[in-house]
Amino acid sequence: MSSPDFDFILDCENYTYPNHKGIGNYHRFQKDIALFAEIGFKCYRFSIAWTRIFPNGNEQ
């Protein structure tokens, strides 16, 4: 796979996988909902990736 516009070389000194944290909704949801209300949003959709909660698929 190649692209002239993208460098596929990984810089392991500065980046690891996953190279980002989740959106942090658990810690910011109250501020987010207040902001949405201020903007005028009437609904909020939230989804959970169950594979993050049960990564092996067999947790009880």
Side-chain angles (χ1 to χ4, degrees):
M1 180 177 202
S2 65
S3 172
D5 299 325
F6 188 79
D7 182 8
F8 287 92
I9 298 171
L10 295 177
D11 181 358
C12 295
E13 293 284 324
N14 295 313
Y15 301 102
T16 59
Y17 183 83
N19 63 358
H20 59 279
K21 295 182 180 179
I23 61 171
N25 186 271
Y26 178 80
H27 300 288
R28 293 192 295 246
F29 75 94
Q30 291 174 324
K31 290 180 182 178
D32 289 346
I33 292 172
L35 179 62
F36 296 154
E38 184 179 324
I39 293 171
F41 289 2
K42 301 293 182 191
C43 63
Y44 175 71
R45 182 176 178 178
F46 179 77
S47 64
I48 297 172
W50 290 105
T51 53
R52 296 259 184 186
I53 297 171
F54 300 118
N56 297 322
N58 59 359
E59 291 83 358
Q60 295 179 359

